Every structure is written in structure tokens, then in C-alpha cells.
Amino acid sequence: MSTPASPSSALLHFGDGEFAVLQPGAFVRCAVSGVAIPLAALRYWSTERQEAYAGPLEYMKALRDA
């Protein structure tokens, strides 16, 4: 019996208010916490840094640490 394939990470280009999928996948990783963010739940990112964030707290932490 084979094990199910684990979901893969997507590669995205982050724009203003939208993102483009460059490589399909189920999720991206938060640049601050490393948590997997399903693409349907992705709401926070930086266009300048091309990074995704799990939520507003992670986004603010990334700004403070810049």
C-alpha cells in the first residue's frame, strides 16, 4: 500500500492586491513563522520582499525586523 503524496509548496509572485502562481502547489510558507498557509487563506504579503505572512501579527513583525 502506497502512502499519499504530501502537498507541495507553491511558488508565487506577489503583486499589489493579487498574486500570480508561478509553480502550482497547495500552500506557501510564512516568512516569519514558517507555518504553511493554504493559498485560499493567503491574505498578507509583501510585494517588495516577495514574502507571505500567516496573518497581520507576522506581517507587523517582519516590518519591525526589517
Side-chain angles (χ1 to χ4, degrees), residues 1-16:
M1 181 173 186
S2 65
T3 58
S6 61
S8 62
S9 178
L11 178 62
L12 307 179
H13 180 272
F14 300 104
D16 291 327

Side-chain angles (χ1 to χ4, degrees), residues 9-37:
S9 178
L11 178 62
L12 307 179
H13 180 272
F14 300 104
D16 291 327
E18 63 186 12
F19 57 84
V21 178
L22 303 177
Q23 178 181 325
F27 64 90
V28 291
R29 295 251 174 228
C30 175
V32 174
S33 68
V35 69
I37 310 162

Side-chain angles (χ1 to χ4, degrees), residues 36-62:
I37 310 162
L39 296 189
L42 180 59
R43 301 286 181 269
Y44 298 92
W45 62 80
S46 167
T47 57
E48 292 89 17
R49 298 168 124 186
Q50 291 295 297
E51 295 179 334
Y53 307 108
L57 297 177
E58 290 83 359
Y59 176 74
M60 295 304 292
K61 181 171 179 7

